[in-house]
Amino acid sequence: MKKSSPLLCLLLPVALLLNGCDQLSSTLGVETPAQKEAKNDSEGRAVGSACRHSGRAIEDCYSIYAWLPKSSIYAGWREMDEYMRENKLDTIAPQLPPPQPPNAGKKKKKASSADTDLVPEAASSAAPAPQPTPAAPATAEPGNSPAAT
């Protein structure tokens, strides 16, 4: 029995440490692949529901929220569609533009420089800018003037 007690003394702390890995990883914010998949699934369902409620097409949701699984977005969209049909709810127009994808920081800078070249909608609805009139020639050539003939 004396030989098994050192082995038991070593295995007991190791077992306790391994049991605490899940708690430690959740405290540190480390997600397992299963946790990440479950989170993305629930976010995709919520996004799909919100897209349907706002009257946005499913294809638009796929392109706007490309980082979420399409199957989750579709499931949420379909559930909200059934709910809205059963309760005869109307769609609600979104008040804000769709959010930028998480990795759109670099693309946003490029797009913002291209946007400066475009005319904003507010400016296009304003009065058009006055057109410059063609300038008269500064001096007339002596042979071509009507007074010379």
Side-chain angles (χ1 to χ4, degrees):
M1 211 34 122
K2 291 184 180 182
K3 290 184 180 181
S4 64
S5 65
L7 181 62
L8 183 63
C9 290
L10 289 175
L11 289 178
L12 185 61
V14 169
L16 289 174
L17 286 173
L18 290 177
N19 188 26
C21 284
D22 292 337
Q23 294 174 354
L24 181 64
S25 65
S26 66
T27 303
L28 295 175
V30 178
E31 292 181 331
T32 63
Q35 290 172 332
K36 188 174 183 178
E37 184 177 334
K39 181 181 173 185
N40 282 344
D41 183 58
S42 62
E43 286 181 4
R45 286 177 179 266
V47 164
S49 294
C51 283
R52 173 59 187 104
H53 194 247
S54 66
R56 197 167 271 143
I58 189 73
E59 293 84 7
D60 294 340
C61 290
Y62 289 157
S63 63
I64 294 169
Y65 301 97
W67 67 93
L68 293 173
K70 289 182 178 181
S71 60
S72 300
I73 293 174
Y74 176 70
W77 196 92
R78 188 184 66 223
E79 289 171 2
M80 181 57 80
D81 185 57
E82 291 172 6
Y83 178 80
M84 290 177 71
R85 287 175 192 262
E86 288 174 5
N87 296 308
K88 298 176 183 166
L89 297 174
D90 293 330
T91 58
I92 296 178
Q95 300 297 318
L96 298 174
Q100 295 294 323
N103 298 331
K106 294 179 182 176
K107 293 179 183 177
K108 187 176 180 182
K109 289 180 183 177
K110 290 179 182 176
S112 65
S113 65
D115 289 343
T116 57
D117 297 337
L118 300 175
V119 176
E121 290 180 24
S124 64
S125 64
Q131 298 294 327
T133 57
T139 57
E141 293 182 23
N144 292 339
S145 67
T149 53

